[in-house]
Amino acid sequence: MANVAVYNMEGNEVGTMELSDAVFGVEVKENLVHQAVVLHLANRRQGTQKAKTRSEVSGGGRKPWRQKGTGHARQGSIRAPQWTGGGVVFAPVPRDYSFKMNKKEKRLALKSALTSKVLENKFLVLDELKLDAVKTKEMKKVLDNLKVDKALVVIGNDSENVVLSARNIPGVQTASVNTINVYDILKYNTVIATKSSVASIEEVYA
């Protein structure tokens, strides 16, 4: 089992914590991590892009000039792709970009991402993270104490003040145990989690 330091909100080390190898010590599967990131980005696409082909552009019903004898190249329609105002060749149409991964693959990809952060010493554990009021300044102070800037903060369901305090800080995002994903784990330099959140992650994903 990997041992990581536990910090308080002042940035002082107050102990250590053992992480479960079943979640934070797996073999990193880079191919599954890549596939999970592509899946996340693909599922976010609206797929509403549309352009008109030559059959959908208004006009162009008659031949612009006769086939032979004009000195021009032959043309069948003023809405052909080579004409200004013509249709688009292989025009994009609305489509669904989403695809699916197996549950086991998704879970292993998430474990691989978490393991990579632990191996890089980019996984910080806090004994607790509680704010008495919604204060962006207080949340920024906690991050400064931990010497992190671009971070994903994993919290419990009862941390509304933390969520509201962190939402205006550039480069910082909060997530619950049930909403963390591979893309966000890799996107942010550091993952910060409370001891209770780590226990929940081990319980859910082990």
Side-chain angles (χ1 to χ4, degrees):
M1 286 188 175
N3 274 322
V4 294
V6 178
Y7 299 90
N8 58 19
M9 292 172 60
E10 285 72 41
N12 300 320
E13 186 174 335
V14 293
T16 59
M17 182 179 186
E18 283 191 351
L19 300 177
S20 171
D21 285 342
V23 178
F24 297 96
V26 301
E27 180 185 353
V28 177
K29 299 286 188 179
E30 293 184 2
N31 60 319
L32 292 182
V33 172
H34 174 264
Q35 191 174 349
V37 171
V38 174
L39 171 74
H40 180 84
L41 295 175
N43 289 346
R44 284 172 54 175
R45 297 186 69 171
Q46 285 185 315
T48 55
Q49 186 182 18
K50 175 73 172 75
K52 291 183 178 181
T53 63
R54 62 183 295 171
S55 65
E56 296 169 314
V57 179
S58 176
R62 63 185 282 271
K63 193 173 173 66
W65 51 74
R66 67 181 188 270
Q67 181 82 344
K68 295 177 178 294
T70 63
H72 295 296
R74 66 188 75 177
Q75 298 293 331
S77 169
I78 62 170
R79 293 296 180 250
Q82 73 270 20
W83 285 70
T84 300
V88 179
V89 182
F90 305 130
V93 294
R95 55 167 289 197
D96 182 11
Y97 288 90
S98 65
F99 63 95
K100 292 183 178 180
M101 281 180 68
N102 294 333
K103 281 186 178 179
K104 287 184 178 179
E105 290 179 330
K106 277 186 183 178
R107 190 174 290 247
L108 186 52
L110 185 68
K111 292 178 183 180
S112 296
L114 290 170
T115 299
S116 67
K117 286 296 181 184
V118 173
L119 294 176
E120 295 168 3
N121 294 321
K122 297 293 186 179
F123 188 86
L124 299 181
V125 180
L126 293 179
D127 56 350
E128 64 175 1
L129 182 57
K130 291 183 179 179
L131 298 177
D132 296 329
V134 179
K135 288 284 187 181
T136 302
K137 185 189 295 184
E138 292 299 319
M139 186 64 194
K140 185 68 168 65
K141 185 178 178 182
V142 173
L143 297 173
D144 290 341
N145 291 338
L146 296 171
K147 298 178 181 178
V148 298
D149 47 6
K150 195 176 180 184
L152 175 68
V153 183
V154 184
I155 52 177
N157 296 324
D158 57 345
S159 304
E160 185 177 357
N161 285 348
V162 176
V163 174
L164 296 176
S165 299
R167 63 181 176 176
N168 282 337
I169 303 176
V172 176
Q173 181 175 328
T174 56
S176 65
V177 173
N178 294 325
T179 61
I180 56 175
N181 58 74
V182 175
Y183 177 75
D184 285 339
I185 292 172
L186 298 180
K187 178 181 177 181
Y188 295 93
N189 295 336
T190 309
V191 176
I192 301 173
T194 60
K195 290 178 68 175
S196 59
S197 297
V198 173
S200 298
I201 290 173
E202 293 178 344
E203 182 179 349
V204 172
Y205 298 105

